[in-house]
Amino acid sequence: MGVPIGYDFLVLATGVTHSYFGRSEFEKFAPGLKSLADAVAIRNKILLAFEQAEAEENPARHGDLLTFVLVGAGPTGVEMAGAIAVLVRNTLKSEFRRINPESAKIILLDMAPRVLGPFSEELAQAAKERLVNLGVEVRLGHGVDQIDAGGVLVDGARIASKTVIWTAGVAPSPAGKWLNVGTDRAGRVRIQQDLTVAGHPEVFVVGDTASLDQDGKPLPGVAQVAIQQGRYAGTLIHRIVTGKSTPGPFRYFDKGNMAVVGKGFAVLQSGKVHISGFLAWLAWAAVHLQFLAQSSLRASVFLQWVWTYATGQRGSRLIVNHHGSEPAKPVAKEAGLALTISSK
Ligand SMILES: Cc1cc2nc3c(=O)[nH]c(=O)nc-3n(C[C@H](O)[C@H](O)[C@H](O)COP(=O)(O)OP(=O)(O)OC[C@H]3O[C@@H](n4cnc5c(N)ncnc54)[C@H](O)[C@@H]3O)c2cc1C
């Protein structure tokens, strides 16, 4: 039983979770990426597939183990497809004896006619070409009809895969239900220009779980919106509490969007600036370094990135179990060299 906590002001920033568009049975076979633990679990799944293939003597049985399917070609799917491509083509290249990681298939699926919906057509095309150059198969224009233990069914055709990852959709937290207030069609809480809920000047809802239009368009579910709204709500509450004049309505300042597609390549869209390639990747790296809290962390991450970029080396084959409930087991003791580490 929870203990009630009274409040003068309530700020709800409970974000989103994966949405399987009413097909919750897919979740068991196609995990999504939202948290660091999800990212580690997905990485373990990919590495274990390689270990299983290495242990499998019959090459005819390698197909589904070495086929990685990503459902959803938005920024998450595109970035992940690029990262897996770099992992299998570079990092794992000479790590196995029986299998050739470069033979792995990476398939990125989306029902939309193009990748990277929030970006311009030209940048979406550049990202797609980059993925194809990295060896990713990009299949657009068809939704996934079925996901099960054997793989996926798309447009009547089965793709056999033991590793399907859901990068398609998100659904907001049930904040609208908790508050019993109006939501938009996606279920995000409708908020006012001062980020409060109508009729509740003491309740703020910010970030991905909030719905606010600006210049006739809904604000996107990105970190910049969440950060700026959090700052605004904090300032407003502080000014109310200290009896100072309150600021004008919230206004989102869009600094632009970026997505990284494999090593040394990104797309960047900021106002009229649309660039793709190495320069965009440098900007991506600079922005991400700048957001790290301490200068010592910035320096160590920078040095680590330079080292990884130059050598391609990283702790890629560590299979880590952050949940600690059941240690991840390396499958191919005799064939592989995987390490299993539990962080519990
Ligand atoms: C893989 C991925 C990549 C992304 N990349 C980018 C990017 O490059 N650029 C960008 O701008 N945005 C990116 N985003 C989006 C960005 O992460 C979100 O827009 C941002 O995190 C939203 O912040 P938030 O505070 O609203 O929600 P969140 O960051 O999701 O935080 C919500 C928190 O509330 C907690 N919570 C939920 N329910 C409850 C409850 N009942 N009680 C207590 N706590 C609860 C959750 O555990 C979570 O910690 C990415 C998202 C993902 C998943």
Side-chain angles (χ1 to χ4, degrees), residues 96-113:
F96 297 93
R97 277 182 289 159
R98 191 175 282 149
I99 57 160
N100 175 10
E102 286 184 84
S103 67
K105 268 194 197 169
I106 304 154
I107 304 174
L108 180 64
L109 305 173
D110 204 303
M111 65 200 298

Side-chain angles (χ1 to χ4, degrees), residues 23 26 53 63 73 75 89 130 147 156 209 232 273 307 330 334 339:
R23 303 290 301 268
F26 289 175
R89 315 264 183 256
R130 166 72 172 167
I147 306 179
T209 210
Y232 178 94
V273 179
W307 174 257
E334 77 287 2
L339 289 173

